[in-house]
PDB file of all heavy atoms in Angstrom:
ATOM      1  N   SER A   6      24.285  26.861 -19.382  1.00 90.00           N
ATOM      2  CA  SER A   6      24.964  27.643 -20.404  1.00 90.00           C
ATOM      3  C   SER A   6      25.994  26.805 -21.188  1.00 90.00           C
ATOM      4  O   SER A   6      26.547  25.833 -20.639  1.00 90.00           O
ATOM      5  CB  SER A   6      25.667  28.832 -19.768  1.00 90.00           C
ATOM      6  OG  SER A   6      26.779  28.409 -19.005  1.00 90.00           O
ATOM      7  N   ARG A  10      28.721  23.828 -19.951  1.00 95.00           N
ATOM      8  CA  ARG A  10      28.757  22.489 -20.612  1.00 95.00           C
ATOM      9  C   ARG A  10      30.178  22.194 -21.096  1.00 95.00           C
ATOM     10  O   ARG A  10      30.675  21.058 -20.942  1.00 95.00           O
ATOM     11  CB  ARG A  10      27.796  22.512 -21.823  1.00 95.00           C
ATOM     12  CG  ARG A  10      27.641  21.169 -22.485  1.00 95.00           C
ATOM     13  CD  ARG A  10      26.618  21.288 -23.632  1.00 95.00           C
ATOM     14  NE  ARG A  10      26.183  20.070 -24.248  1.00 95.00           N
ATOM     15  CZ  ARG A  10      26.928  19.168 -24.860  1.00 95.00           C
ATOM     16  NH1 ARG A  10      28.198  19.308 -24.881  1.00 95.00           N
ATOM     17  NH2 ARG A  10      26.396  18.089 -25.404  1.00 95.00           N
ATOM     18  N   VAL A  13      32.259  21.068 -18.126  1.00 97.00           N
ATOM     19  CA  VAL A  13      31.966  19.706 -17.710  1.00 97.00           C
ATOM     20  C   VAL A  13      32.654  18.727 -18.673  1.00 97.00           C
ATOM     21  O   VAL A  13      33.298  17.770 -18.228  1.00 97.00           O
ATOM     22  CB  VAL A  13      30.454  19.451 -17.693  1.00 97.00           C
ATOM     23  CG1 VAL A  13      30.129  17.967 -17.519  1.00 97.00           C
ATOM     24  CG2 VAL A  13      29.787  20.279 -16.584  1.00 97.00           C
ATOM     25  N   ILE A  16      36.482  18.778 -17.963  1.00 97.00           N
ATOM     26  CA  ILE A  16      36.934  18.048 -16.763  1.00 97.00           C
ATOM     27  C   ILE A  16      36.749  16.551 -16.953  1.00 97.00           C
ATOM     28  O   ILE A  16      37.557  15.763 -16.452  1.00 97.00           O
ATOM     29  CB  ILE A  16      36.241  18.572 -15.498  1.00 97.00           C
ATOM     30  CG1 ILE A  16      36.957  18.084 -14.241  1.00 97.00           C
ATOM     31  CG2 ILE A  16      34.797  18.181 -15.431  1.00 97.00           C
ATOM     32  CD1 ILE A  16      38.254  18.697 -13.971  1.00 97.00           C
ATOM     33  N   GLU A  19      39.719  15.496 -18.996  1.00 97.00           N
ATOM     34  CA  GLU A  19      40.942  15.551 -18.150  1.00 97.00           C
ATOM     35  C   GLU A  19      40.968  14.364 -17.175  1.00 97.00           C
ATOM     36  O   GLU A  19      42.033  13.791 -16.945  1.00 97.00           O
ATOM     37  CB  GLU A  19      40.979  16.856 -17.372  1.00 97.00           C
ATOM     38  CG  GLU A  19      41.252  18.073 -18.235  1.00 97.00           C
ATOM     39  CD  GLU A  19      41.064  19.398 -17.508  1.00 97.00           C
ATOM     40  OE1 GLU A  19      40.949  19.358 -16.259  1.00 97.00           O
ATOM     41  OE2 GLU A  19      41.029  20.422 -18.176  1.00 97.00           O
ATOM     42  N   LEU A  20      39.810  14.023 -16.613  1.00 97.00           N
ATOM     43  CA  LEU A  20      39.763  12.850 -15.720  1.00 97.00           C
ATOM     44  C   LEU A  20      40.121  11.560 -16.483  1.00 97.00           C
ATOM     45  O   LEU A  20      40.860  10.722 -15.971  1.00 97.00           O
ATOM     46  CB  LEU A  20      38.381  12.704 -15.135  1.00 97.00           C
ATOM     47  CG  LEU A  20      38.138  13.398 -13.791  1.00 97.00           C
ATOM     48  CD1 LEU A  20      36.682  13.358 -13.436  1.00 97.00           C
ATOM     49  CD2 LEU A  20      38.975  12.742 -12.704  1.00 97.00           C
ATOM     50  N   ASP A  26      46.591   5.579 -16.302  1.00 86.00           N
ATOM     51  CA  ASP A  26      47.511   4.686 -15.570  1.00 86.00           C
ATOM     52  C   ASP A  26      46.946   4.329 -14.225  1.00 86.00           C
ATOM     53  O   ASP A  26      47.682   4.054 -13.258  1.00 86.00           O
ATOM     54  CB  ASP A  26      48.884   5.379 -15.389  1.00 86.00           C
ATOM     55  CG  ASP A  26      49.623   5.498 -16.705  1.00 86.00           C
ATOM     56  OD1 ASP A  26      49.479   4.579 -17.536  1.00 86.00           O
ATOM     57  OD2 ASP A  26      50.348   6.487 -16.885  1.00 86.00           O
ATOM     58  N   TYR A  27      45.628   4.309 -14.066  1.00 88.00           N
ATOM     59  CA  TYR A  27      45.000   3.996 -12.788  1.00 88.00           C
ATOM     60  C   TYR A  27      45.368   2.580 -12.393  1.00 88.00           C
ATOM     61  O   TYR A  27      45.431   1.680 -13.262  1.00 88.00           O
ATOM     62  CB  TYR A  27      43.463   4.154 -12.925  1.00 88.00           C
ATOM     63  CG  TYR A  27      42.755   4.147 -11.603  1.00 88.00           C
ATOM     64  CD1 TYR A  27      42.842   5.240 -10.750  1.00 88.00           C
ATOM     65  CD2 TYR A  27      41.982   3.066 -11.212  1.00 88.00           C
ATOM     66  CE1 TYR A  27      42.179   5.239  -9.534  1.00 88.00           C
ATOM     67  CE2 TYR A  27      41.304   3.070 -10.018  1.00 88.00           C
ATOM     68  CZ  TYR A  27      41.417   4.161  -9.168  1.00 88.00           C
ATOM     69  OH  TYR A  27      40.766   4.154  -7.966  1.00 88.00           O
ATOM     70  N   PRO A  28      45.681   2.346 -11.090  1.00 86.00           N
ATOM     71  CA  PRO A  28      46.139   1.019 -10.675  1.00 86.00           C
ATOM     72  C   PRO A  28      45.213  -0.152 -11.042  1.00 86.00           C
ATOM     73  O   PRO A  28      45.669  -1.237 -11.316  1.00 86.00           O
ATOM     74  CB  PRO A  28      46.254   1.151  -9.147  1.00 86.00           C
ATOM     75  CG  PRO A  28      46.466   2.613  -8.924  1.00 86.00           C
ATOM     76  CD  PRO A  28      45.708   3.304 -10.007  1.00 86.00           C
ATOM     77  N   LEU A  29      43.888   0.068 -11.014  1.00 91.00           N
ATOM     78  CA  LEU A  29      42.959  -1.025 -11.333  1.00 91.00           C
ATOM     79  C   LEU A  29      42.659  -1.121 -12.831  1.00 91.00           C
ATOM     80  O   LEU A  29      41.840  -1.932 -13.255  1.00 91.00           O
ATOM     81  CB  LEU A  29      41.671  -0.848 -10.554  1.00 91.00           C
ATOM     82  CG  LEU A  29      41.810  -0.972  -9.038  1.00 91.00           C
ATOM     83  CD1 LEU A  29      40.473  -0.664  -8.354  1.00 91.00           C
ATOM     84  CD2 LEU A  29      42.325  -2.329  -8.652  1.00 91.00           C
ATOM     85  N   VAL A  38      34.057   6.688 -13.869  1.00 97.00           N
ATOM     86  CA  VAL A  38      33.898   8.094 -14.200  1.00 97.00           C
ATOM     87  C   VAL A  38      32.611   8.320 -15.023  1.00 97.00           C
ATOM     88  O   VAL A  38      31.839   9.234 -14.766  1.00 97.00           O
ATOM     89  CB  VAL A  38      35.122   8.629 -14.932  1.00 97.00           C
ATOM     90  CG1 VAL A  38      34.887  10.035 -15.497  1.00 97.00           C
ATOM     91  CG2 VAL A  38      36.307   8.687 -14.001  1.00 97.00           C
ATOM     92  N   HIS A  39      32.412   7.481 -16.012  1.00 97.00           N
ATOM     93  CA  HIS A  39      31.223   7.587 -16.867  1.00 97.00           C
ATOM     94  C   HIS A  39      29.943   7.470 -16.039  1.00 97.00           C
ATOM     95  O   HIS A  39      29.030   8.271 -16.192  1.00 97.00           O
ATOM     96  CB  HIS A  39      31.275   6.521 -17.955  1.00 97.00           C
ATOM     97  CG  HIS A  39      30.101   6.568 -18.872  1.00 97.00           C
ATOM     98  ND1 HIS A  39      29.942   7.521 -19.845  1.00 97.00           N
ATOM     99  CD2 HIS A  39      28.988   5.787 -18.953  1.00 97.00           C
ATOM    100  CE1 HIS A  39      28.827   7.329 -20.489  1.00 97.00           C
ATOM    101  NE2 HIS A  39      28.219   6.263 -19.942  1.00 97.00           N
ATOM    102  N   ALA A  46      23.668  13.651 -14.828  1.00 94.00           N
ATOM    103  CA  ALA A  46      23.328  14.239 -16.125  1.00 94.00           C
ATOM    104  C   ALA A  46      22.029  15.011 -16.098  1.00 94.00           C
ATOM    105  O   ALA A  46      21.837  15.945 -16.891  1.00 94.00           O
ATOM    106  CB  ALA A  46      23.268  13.159 -17.208  1.00 94.00           C
ATOM    107  N   GLU A  51      22.758  25.614 -11.981  1.00 94.00           N
ATOM    108  CA  GLU A  51      24.136  26.003 -12.240  1.00 94.00           C
ATOM    109  C   GLU A  51      25.032  25.827 -11.028  1.00 94.00           C
ATOM    110  O   GLU A  51      26.182  25.410 -11.144  1.00 94.00           O
ATOM    111  CB  GLU A  51      24.161  27.483 -12.697  1.00 94.00           C
ATOM    112  CG  GLU A  51      25.205  27.723 -13.755  1.00 94.00           C
ATOM    113  CD  GLU A  51      25.094  29.093 -14.387  1.00 94.00           C
ATOM    114  OE1 GLU A  51      24.094  29.365 -15.047  1.00 94.00           O
ATOM    115  OE2 GLU A  51      26.030  29.867 -14.172  1.00 94.00           O
ATOM    116  N   SER A  56      29.357  22.734  -8.364  1.00 96.00           N
ATOM    117  CA  SER A  56      29.764  21.882  -7.257  1.00 96.00           C
ATOM    118  C   SER A  56      30.308  20.537  -7.786  1.00 96.00           C
ATOM    119  O   SER A  56      31.338  20.025  -7.295  1.00 96.00           O
ATOM    120  CB  SER A  56      28.580  21.656  -6.316  1.00 96.00           C
ATOM    121  OG  SER A  56      28.889  20.681  -5.365  1.00 96.00           O
ATOM    122  N   ALA A  61      34.857  16.911  -9.233  1.00 97.00           N
ATOM    123  CA  ALA A  61      35.624  16.222 -10.294  1.00 97.00           C
ATOM    124  C   ALA A  61      37.055  16.694 -10.308  1.00 97.00           C
ATOM    125  O   ALA A  61      37.985  15.887 -10.506  1.00 97.00           O
ATOM    126  CB  ALA A  61      34.957  16.443 -11.633  1.00 97.00           C
ATOM    127  N   LYS A  65      40.393  14.468  -9.748  1.00 96.00           N
ATOM    128  CA  LYS A  65      41.519  14.547 -10.715  1.00 96.00           C
ATOM    129  C   LYS A  65      42.851  14.751  -9.963  1.00 96.00           C
ATOM    130  O   LYS A  65      43.847  14.099 -10.265  1.00 96.00           O
ATOM    131  CB  LYS A  65      41.273  15.664 -11.702  1.00 96.00           C
ATOM    132  CG  LYS A  65      42.368  15.832 -12.724  1.00 96.00           C
ATOM    133  CD  LYS A  65      42.108  16.993 -13.622  1.00 96.00           C
ATOM    134  CE  LYS A  65      43.388  17.435 -14.259  1.00 96.00           C
ATOM    135  NZ  LYS A  65      43.513  18.850 -14.416  1.00 96.00           N
ATOM    136  N   TRP A  72      49.405   8.888  -9.185  1.00 90.00           N
ATOM    137  CA  TRP A  72      50.414   8.723 -10.242  1.00 90.00           C
ATOM    138  C   TRP A  72      51.783   9.144  -9.758  1.00 90.00           C
ATOM    139  O   TRP A  72      52.794   8.445  -9.967  1.00 90.00           O
ATOM    140  CB  TRP A  72      50.002   9.530 -11.470  1.00 90.00           C
ATOM    141  CG  TRP A  72      50.957   9.369 -12.593  1.00 90.00           C
ATOM    142  CD1 TRP A  72      50.995   8.327 -13.478  1.00 90.00           C
ATOM    143  CD2 TRP A  72      52.039  10.214 -12.962  1.00 90.00           C
ATOM    144  NE1 TRP A  72      52.007   8.481 -14.386  1.00 90.00           N
ATOM    145  CE2 TRP A  72      52.668   9.648 -14.085  1.00 90.00           C
ATOM    146  CE3 TRP A  72      52.533  11.422 -12.450  1.00 90.00           C
ATOM    147  CZ2 TRP A  72      53.776  10.235 -14.688  1.00 90.00           C
ATOM    148  CZ3 TRP A  72      53.616  11.996 -13.073  1.00 90.00           C
ATOM    149  CH2 TRP A  72      54.216  11.397 -14.160  1.00 90.00           C
ATOM    150  N   LYS A  76      55.130   6.867  -9.289  1.00 90.00           N
ATOM    151  CA  LYS A  76      56.404   7.254  -9.903  1.00 90.00           C
ATOM    152  C   LYS A  76      57.493   7.295  -8.822  1.00 90.00           C
ATOM    153  O   LYS A  76      58.610   6.792  -9.052  1.00 90.00           O
ATOM    154  CB  LYS A  76      56.253   8.614 -10.562  1.00 90.00           C
ATOM    155  CG  LYS A  76      57.478   9.136 -11.239  1.00 90.00           C
ATOM    156  CD  LYS A  76      57.215  10.469 -11.885  1.00 90.00           C
ATOM    157  CE  LYS A  76      58.490  11.075 -12.435  1.00 90.00           C
ATOM    158  NZ  LYS A  76      58.259  12.409 -12.965  1.00 90.00           N
ATOM    159  N   ARG A  81      62.285   4.982  -6.271  1.00 91.00           N
ATOM    160  CA  ARG A  81      62.932   4.555  -5.039  1.00 91.00           C
ATOM    161  C   ARG A  81      63.318   3.087  -5.127  1.00 91.00           C
ATOM    162  O   ARG A  81      64.410   2.693  -4.664  1.00 91.00           O
ATOM    163  CB  ARG A  81      61.980   4.768  -3.868  1.00 91.00           C
ATOM    164  CG  ARG A  81      62.620   4.525  -2.544  1.00 91.00           C
ATOM    165  CD  ARG A  81      61.731   4.995  -1.440  1.00 91.00           C
ATOM    166  NE  ARG A  81      62.336   4.618  -0.169  1.00 91.00           N
ATOM    167  CZ  ARG A  81      61.766   4.818   0.972  1.00 91.00           C
ATOM    168  NH1 ARG A  81      60.567   5.354   1.036  1.00 91.00           N
ATOM    169  NH2 ARG A  81      62.346   4.467   2.087  1.00 91.00           N
ATOM    170  N   GLY A  85      67.077   2.968  -5.119  1.00 83.00           N
ATOM    171  CA  GLY A  85      67.319   2.800  -3.703  1.00 83.00           C
ATOM    172  C   GLY A  85      67.190   4.123  -2.972  1.00 83.00           C
ATOM    173  O   GLY A  85      67.241   5.215  -3.554  1.00 83.00           O
ATOM    174  N   GLY A  87      69.305   5.407  -0.658  1.00 65.00           N
ATOM    175  CA  GLY A  87      70.566   6.128  -0.547  1.00 65.00           C
ATOM    176  C   GLY A  87      70.929   6.922  -1.788  1.00 65.00           C
ATOM    177  O   GLY A  87      71.516   7.990  -1.712  1.00 65.00           O
TER     178      GLY A  87
END
Side-chain angles (χ1 to χ4, degrees):
S6 70
R10 186 178 190 301
V13 170
I16 194 72
E19 290 170 12
L20 268 171
D26 290 326
Y27 193 71
L29 295 176
V38 169
H39 179 76
E51 217 171 294
S56 171
K65 180 183 159 217
W72 182 81
K76 181 179 173 184
R81 187 170 176 185

